[in-house]
Amino acid sequence: MRMKPILATLVLFAAILILLPSLLVLPYGTTYTEPAPASVANKVKKKDTKEESVSVAVYRSEKSETMDIPIEEYVTGVVAAEMPSEFNIEALKAQALTARTFVVAKMTNPPGDLPSEAVVTDTIMDQVYKDKDQLEKAWGKDYEKKYAKIEEAVNATAGQILTYDGNPIYASFFSTSNGYTENSEDYWENAAPYLRSVESPWDVDSPKYEDKASFTVQEFEKKLDVTLPSDGSIGTIKNLTEGKRVAEASVNGKTFSGREIRDLLELRSSDFTWQRSGNSITVTTKGYGHGVGMSQYGANGMAEEGKPYSDIVKYYYKDVAISEMGRYVSNLTAQK
């Protein structure tokens, strides 16, 4: 038994975390404290080669149970669920890096509010994860080919994560931009130095680049809890964010953020314009998703131009480094 050294190490890391917190308010109301490099909190299994095989405690929503899944298998299932398999392999590698970074950050600071000691769910509340059976059912005869391609991308980045100032980043990503990504504080609450607005011109080729949603005047009024003016107008878009999305809009004297309108109307993006014709309102959006971090279609566009995954992630996440995850999970407390 080697309990005393372990306890002493945990006390030291706890002190570091207390002294050096850096709070970032994340989506879905979660507060994440970026860890000191050696903070720990999940499971590890030693191989005979002394390499560490880390497992992720994933809450499987359909089965209502938590399962321990080897991290690279988990990352493969996330990439398969979150990004089209026909994308360029360099884009798939970039997605693998974001998926692994996301879960390592969660493992070093477990949320504590999930059932059965889970670290992440398999839903959009964290990252969508699908196991091999689910993917085989979805892909049919193409399963082996598609899975092999994604597994190749994951293996090429195995053990790598993205860090800023020595800490795993919150590696947010989304489908399609409106031509720009968004500063984190323009969609969520806090400014993360690595989540800055950048141009993303490749997204114009995405099939999700533009969308239209139609509402009756009554539907529109109910969703926003407003009464539209009798003159046939809707409202005024007052200002835009650096990422060219709606920052603030006013509807008959009631003020909304662009995100609020996106959520209330269930729009694809907070870059929108609207037009009223009689009893009908059409809202046109550009982009798909919150716009913060890496654009998946932008990543694929860069890859198609010959950019490697390392260039892609460093373009969308400013001033980050690609680091080995070992230092962040090497002292995990529970061993198998």
Side-chain angles (χ1 to χ4, degrees):
M1 299 293 290
R2 294 178 293 171
M3 294 300 294
K4 289 183 178 180
I6 293 174
L7 290 173
T9 301
L10 290 176
V11 170
L12 175 60
F13 294 148
I16 292 172
L17 288 174
I18 291 170
L19 292 173
L20 298 175
S22 176
L23 293 179
L24 173 63
V25 179
L26 301 184
Y28 318 116
T30 302
T31 300
Y32 167 60
T33 304
E34 292 196 69
S39 70
V40 294
N42 207 17
K43 298 181 179 179
V44 64
K45 178 172 61 179
K46 298 285 185 178
K47 292 183 177 181
D48 292 338
T49 60
K50 295 184 180 181
E51 293 179 356
E52 293 166 346
S53 179
V54 181
S55 64
V56 183
V58 183
Y59 183 74
R60 303 308 315 276
S61 54
E62 288 187 3
K63 299 179 180 179
S64 298
E65 66 178 10
T66 297
M67 299 180 63
D68 286 336
I69 302 172
I71 191 167
E72 300 303 341
E73 179 182 330
Y74 167 78
V75 171
T76 303
V78 170
V79 176
E82 292 279 12
M83 180 174 270
S85 60
E86 62 269 21
F87 272 18
N88 187 293
I89 195 165
E90 294 301 314
L92 293 170
K93 291 176 186 178
Q95 184 72 69
L97 203 50
T98 67
R100 191 181 300 105
T101 302
F102 181 92
V103 77
V104 167
K106 285 279 189 175
M107 289 162 63
T108 56
N109 284 282
D113 57 356
L114 297 181
S116 305
E117 299 182 346
V119 171
V120 290
T121 70
D122 60 4
T123 71
I124 59 171
M125 295 300 291
D126 293 297
Q127 302 180 118
V128 178
Y129 165 81
K130 292 184 179 180
D131 60 29
K132 292 180 179 180
D133 290 341
Q134 291 173 305
L135 293 171
E136 187 169 9
K137 184 179 295 185
W139 289 339
K141 61 182 178 61
D142 295 324
Y143 166 74
E144 290 188 6
K145 179 181 179 180
K146 289 184 174 184
Y147 195 86
K149 181 180 179 182
I150 291 172
E151 198 169 40
E152 178 186 351
V154 173
N155 290 340
T157 67
Q160 297 178 356
I161 63 170
L162 295 168
T163 59
Y164 178 87
D165 197 24
N167 294 309
I169 70 168
Y170 179 69
S172 60
F173 59 88
F174 61 97
S175 170
T176 303
S177 84
N178 63 343
Y180 300 84
T181 67
E182 192 84 306
N183 290 327
S184 59
E185 68 273 19
D186 288 331
Y187 197 80
W188 298 319
E189 291 185 31
N190 291 38
Y194 49 83
L195 295 175
R196 300 293 88 201
S197 177
V198 297
E199 291 188 47
S200 190
W202 308 274
D203 301 67
V204 70
D205 295 324
S206 167
K208 303 175 183 179
Y209 180 71
E210 187 171 289
D211 186 58
K212 293 182 184 293
S214 297
F215 306 91
T216 65
V217 167
Q218 292 75 20
E219 289 171 336
F220 189 90
E221 290 179 326
K222 183 178 180 180
K223 287 178 180 292
L224 296 187
D225 191 23
V226 296
T227 300
L228 292 182
S230 58
D231 61 3
S233 64
I234 301 174
T236 304
I237 294 173
K238 301 175 77 171
N239 52 70
L240 302 179
T241 65
E242 186 177 346
K244 314 303 181 185
R245 292 164 179 80
V246 175
E248 188 178 49
S250 176
V251 180
N252 203 14
K254 187 174 182 178
T255 299
F256 299 86
S257 70
R259 178 181 176 175
E260 286 173 331
I261 291 179
R262 181 199 173 198
D263 291 344
L264 291 170
L265 297 182
E266 300 179 64
L267 304 175
R268 286 189 169 190
S269 167
S270 54
D271 177 345
F272 56 82
T273 56
W274 45 34
Q275 186 173 5
R276 180 176 174 179
S277 178
N279 195 48
S280 179
I281 295 174
T282 300
V283 182
T284 302
T285 58
K286 287 185 178 180
Y288 192 179
H290 50 66
V292 183
M294 186 182 77
S295 163
Q296 292 175 316
Y297 274 88
N300 193 55
M302 291 184 70
E304 289 293 292
E305 290 183 354
K307 299 294 185 182
Y309 76 95
S310 55
D311 285 358
I312 295 170
V313 294
K314 289 179 180 180
Y315 180 77
Y316 283 107
Y317 305 106
K318 306 308 292 182
D319 300 320
V320 298
I322 298 176
S323 306
E324 293 299 321
M325 74 174 187
R327 61 181 292 196
Y328 301 93
V329 296
S330 61
N331 295 304
L332 299 175
T333 56
Q335 295 191 1
K336 295 174 68 177

